[in-house]
Amino acid sequence: SGTTRLKQHVIKCSKVACSSSITIESSDLASRQSTLAHHGFKKTIKLNENDVDKIKNLSAQWVCQDMRPFSTLEDVGFRALAQELVNIGHRYGVIDIDEILRSRYTIARTIYDLADSYRQRMKQILSEPLKARAVTICPDFWSDCYKSISYLGLNITFVDVDYKMFSIDLFCRPFFGVKTSTSILKVS
């Protein structure tokens, strides 16, 4: 879509500590002094071949056993989770993974809590641009060739008073029918 390049820029910026995405920070995280690692400077080490092969094999087994798409391994969220697990391992040493990862039920409840927090945060962020009528709303149609389903996504893009660019996906849902402006308005 027309916002692909903007989204790629936001992702690239956020890796270098440009906070262009919505984040809910706890007070202890916000007060901690940042390190070079938080600004994109990572320690580069040469792993031995056995460790590289073990990670490669575990990744392949995970994708195949749980029928995950290969793209999951390149997903920004998955990589952020993996990086945080590495950081925790660095801080505490070897620990039981069950002490860190939570059950699917806990995560499901957390999603509802996060959704409420994000909605409140989005209301705050969007109030000024909406009053100024400075929000770009972009519908995005795409098709899943495997399932033969069309989808409609809605993205909003704007720059706030601090000149931070935001690109927020509001929803993505199956779309049935003819792609016309009136049918898009009915769905959204």
Side-chain angles (χ1 to χ4, degrees):
S1 73
T3 59
T4 301
R5 296 286 181 232
L6 293 173
K7 287 181 181 179
Q8 288 173 347
H9 177 72
V10 168
I11 290 168
K12 185 178 175 184
C13 255
S14 67
K15 288 180 182 176
V16 187
C18 174
S19 59
S20 296
S21 61
I22 296 176
T23 56
I24 307 297
E25 296 178 343
S26 64
S27 58
D28 61 322
L29 286 178
S31 63
R32 193 180 331 151
Q33 184 176 0
S34 64
T35 63
L36 288 176
H38 292 115
H39 297 281
F41 297 98
K42 302 282 187 221
K43 186 176 184 180
T44 306
I45 24 177
K46 177 78 172 143
L47 297 175
N48 69 43
E49 281 301 311
N50 290 338
D51 290 338
V52 170
D53 286 341
K54 186 172 184 173
I55 294 297
K56 189 170 32 175
N57 290 335
L58 286 171
S59 298
Q61 287 171 2
W62 175 56
V63 165
C64 292
Q65 287 173 348
D66 294 338
M67 300 183 75
R68 304 274 181 232
F70 290 107
S71 61
T72 303
L73 296 167
E74 297 171 351
D75 182 72
V76 174
F78 170 75
R79 290 189 169 268
L81 174 64
Q83 185 63 57
E84 188 58 29
L85 291 171
V86 169
N87 295 345
I88 289 171
H90 175 73
R91 272 194 305 270
Y92 298 104
V94 178
I95 56 175
D96 183 8
I97 195 67
D98 292 329
E99 295 293 323
I100 301 172
L101 296 180
R102 299 295 175 240
S103 74
R104 60 184 172 166
Y105 305 109
T106 302
I107 300 304
R109 284 190 306 271
T110 303
I111 288 173
Y112 287 111
D113 296 340
L114 283 175
D116 289 339
S117 297
Y118 287 153
R119 281 187 202 100
Q120 291 304 315
R121 178 85 171 112
M122 283 178 55
K123 284 179 185 176
Q124 293 170 354
I125 291 171
L126 283 172
S127 65
E128 186 272 326
L130 285 172
K131 286 178 187 170
R133 301 182 67 138
V135 176
T136 302
I137 301 171
C138 302
D140 182 22
F141 284 104
W142 61 279
S143 297
D144 179 350
C145 297
Y146 180 72
K147 294 182 180 179
S148 298
I149 298 175
S150 293
Y151 292 92
L152 170 64
L154 193 67
N155 174 276
I156 57 172
T157 306
F158 61 93
V159 177
D160 71 2
V161 293
D162 297 322
Y163 304 107
K164 291 182 186 172
M165 189 195 94
F166 289 84
S167 180
I168 301 170
D169 293 316
L170 294 180
F171 67 82
C172 183
R173 59 177 67 145
F175 181 82
F176 304 101
V178 182
K179 298 176 185 175
T180 64
S181 59
T182 52
S183 61
I184 293 171
L185 289 174
K186 285 180 186 176
V187 171
S188 46

